[in-house]
Amino acid sequence: MTVSTKPTNAMPRHESPCKTTASAHQLLEGTTWHSRLLPSVNNFVYPYRYWGINISALAAGQALPEVDTAALGDHKALGASYLSKILPKKLLAKRLPLFSAKTKALQQFCPNDYLEGFNSLSSNESLNDNENISDNESINSNEDIDNDLPSNQALKQRLSQAFIKHAGSSPTGDMLGLLVCRNAGMYFSPVNFYLGFDEQQTPTHLLAEVSNTPWDKRHYYGFLLEGEETEFCHDKDFHVSPFNPIDQLYHWQVTVKRTQQHTADKQSSTGLQVRIAIDISDERGEVLKTGIKISGVPLTETSVRNSLRKNPLMNMTSLARIYGQAFKLYAIKKVPYINYDEKLADSNQKTSASLKSETLND
């Protein structure tokens, strides 16, 4: 485990090799948490899901499963009712798509939703490392690469270029995306993570694709990993929350492990366990602790149905929770709003803290 002051482009040595076969597509579930310490305490934890898409395998032709509901006529309640006798057979045989990469579905994987703005290596070299790309600006810049390649292969090429640009090199093994898919036609993801591995399936790379919800921009943080556990620190350079200043420090703790699992039918499968935590601090001390902890199972019809039965509209609930927590901070806990890219010293939070301190001293 190492600690660095900023993302490094030097390839680290690997102390915790994971010798396993290539990663299959996975479905990863767990929790995400936010624990705010300053200027007011506010905590919440809620369930979260990532679709673990092996982008390397997908580009090579390993398709994602197409998952539908059972036929309408197969439902027990309907089958035993009078409706099953009067409804058209075509309607009774109809299935609704739950997960698909080919058609509209409750959860739909669309390769063009990810890594917008990466077109060709030559054009990206002129981009500033701290440049933030808005969704509307970046769509057109993908046209060249997407027109020349099938969408899955284009996504793999964009990801390889993103790793080179932001981590200094591209993984030599599988590249796995921890992705939020379109939900009932709506795409919304605060952050997607991309993991890179070497030929022995040791974790070597991490890319975070961060979106700032109100401003509709994306930013990328890339790092090299040292096997299963890595820590690193760097200055914040992308405004995400309207309650945090830009001059803050990020301390990442990343754990990526493989576990052997046994299903009810005594089949054995390998799943990923991922924990990504970020402690955010500034001159006041620790301000916010946030992260995800998720475990993966093979992406199958059964796992998809079970997950969507528990949480069918995660994108909508996530968006509602973000704005709900923002309202709570601003209207109830009276946390001062911070303007885009504003430093703490120039913000209302600094003024508010100074007034409180003067009041206490009086």
Side-chain angles (χ1 to χ4, degrees):
M1 184 167 61
T2 63
V3 179
S4 62
T5 57
K6 61 180 180 178
T8 176
N9 292 338
M11 181 63 71
R13 57 190 176 84
H14 306 296
E15 300 176 353
S16 305
C18 301
K19 296 181 180 180
T20 61
T21 56
S23 303
H25 302 307
Q26 297 187 40
L27 194 158
L28 298 98
E29 293 182 299
T31 57
T32 181
W33 69 88
H34 282 63
S35 179
R36 178 173 287 276
L37 306 174
L38 293 171
S40 295
V41 175
N42 187 56
N43 303 306
F44 63 88
V45 179
Y46 56 82
Y48 212 70
R49 170 180 60 232
Y50 276 110
W51 302 92
I53 310 298
N54 186 327
I55 295 171
S56 301
L58 189 68
Q62 182 178 324
L64 294 166
E66 298 288 316
V67 184
D68 298 330
T69 62
L72 187 61
D74 292 341
H75 288 278
K76 293 181 180 180
L78 184 61
S81 71
Y82 177 70
L83 287 175
S84 63
K85 299 177 182 179
I86 61 173
L87 290 175
K89 291 183 178 180
K90 188 174 181 180
L91 178 60
L92 292 173
K94 188 173 180 61
R95 298 171 181 266
L96 300 177
L98 292 176
F99 179 84
S100 177
K102 300 176 180 179
T103 186
K104 291 182 179 181
L106 181 62
Q107 289 280 337
Q108 182 184 4
F109 170 72
C110 297
N112 292 337
D113 286 338
Y114 310 103
L115 302 172
E116 294 180 342
F118 287 93
N119 183 12
S120 67
L121 202 54
S122 58
S123 65
N124 274 320
E125 286 172 350
S126 64
L127 292 176
N128 220 319
D129 279 344
N130 293 327
E131 182 177 4
N132 304 323
I133 305 169
S134 72
D135 288 346
N136 292 331
E137 290 172 342
S138 60
I139 290 174
N140 291 334
S141 63
N142 278 334
E143 286 182 355
D144 293 341
I145 192 171
D146 289 346
N147 287 338
D148 294 338
L149 292 172
S151 59
N152 292 335
Q153 294 179 20
L155 175 59
K156 180 187 175 184
Q157 184 170 332
R158 293 199 302 274
L159 179 54
S160 180
Q161 292 172 5
F163 274 127
I164 291 171
K165 176 175 173 58
H166 294 286
S169 64
S170 183
T172 57
D174 283 343
M175 295 186 292
L176 183 77
L178 305 180
L179 308 175
V180 176
C181 292
R182 292 190 186 188
N183 193 183
M186 186 188 85
Y187 175 77
F188 170 71
S189 177
V191 57
N192 296 312
F193 295 104
Y194 302 87
L195 295 170
F197 300 84
D198 63 14
E199 296 90 340
Q200 288 75 42
Q201 292 301 305
T202 302
T204 58
H205 292 67
L206 172 69
L207 180 75
E209 180 180 31
V210 184
S211 301
N212 53 10
T213 304
W215 300 282
D216 199 26
K217 293 183 178 182
R218 300 190 192 189
H219 185 79
Y220 300 89
Y221 292 109
F223 312 96
L224 297 179
L225 301 179
E226 292 197 344
E228 291 186 347
E229 296 188 9
T230 312
E231 292 188 14
F232 36 82
C233 299
H234 65 88
D235 292 333
K236 172 182 174 179
D237 52 23
F238 183 55
H239 192 87
V240 177
S241 168
F243 302 102
N244 284 345
I246 191 65
D247 50 337
Q248 292 186 313
L249 182 71
Y250 282 3
H251 177 201
W252 296 65
Q253 303 130 64
V254 179
T255 302
V256 181
K257 295 183 178 180
R258 296 181 182 276
T259 58
Q260 203 71 19
Q261 302 173 349
H262 299 281
T263 59
D265 55 1
K266 298 183 180 180
Q267 296 293 318
S268 179
S269 63
T270 300
L272 277 180
Q273 283 191 342
V274 179
R275 183 182 185 274
I276 300 175
I278 307 175
D279 294 344
I280 304 173
S281 61
D282 55 33
E283 64 183 53
R284 297 169 293 181
E286 285 194 326
V287 176
L288 179 68
K289 294 176 179 287
T290 184
I292 60 162
K293 184 177 182 181
I294 49 178
S295 298
V297 297
L299 187 61
T300 64
E301 290 189 13
T302 299
S303 62
V304 169
R305 289 195 179 102
N306 288 342
S307 179
L308 294 181
R309 189 178 296 117
K310 293 182 292 185
N311 195 358
L313 298 175
M314 191 190 78
N315 293 25
M316 287 76 162
T317 56
S318 295
L319 188 61
R321 282 168 171 151
I322 287 174
Y323 281 104
Q325 291 294 331
F327 176 81
K328 180 179 178 182
L329 286 174
Y330 185 74
I332 300 176
K333 299 204 170 183
K334 307 300 182 183
V335 176
Y337 181 92
I338 291 182
N339 294 318
Y340 196 87
D341 276 353
E342 191 172 44
K343 294 184 177 182
L344 178 62
D346 303 324
S347 71
N348 290 331
Q349 281 193 17
K350 184 72 171 183
T351 304
S352 176
S354 299
L355 290 175
K356 285 183 179 179
S357 178
E358 291 175 3
T359 302
L360 290 174
N361 290 336
D362 289 345

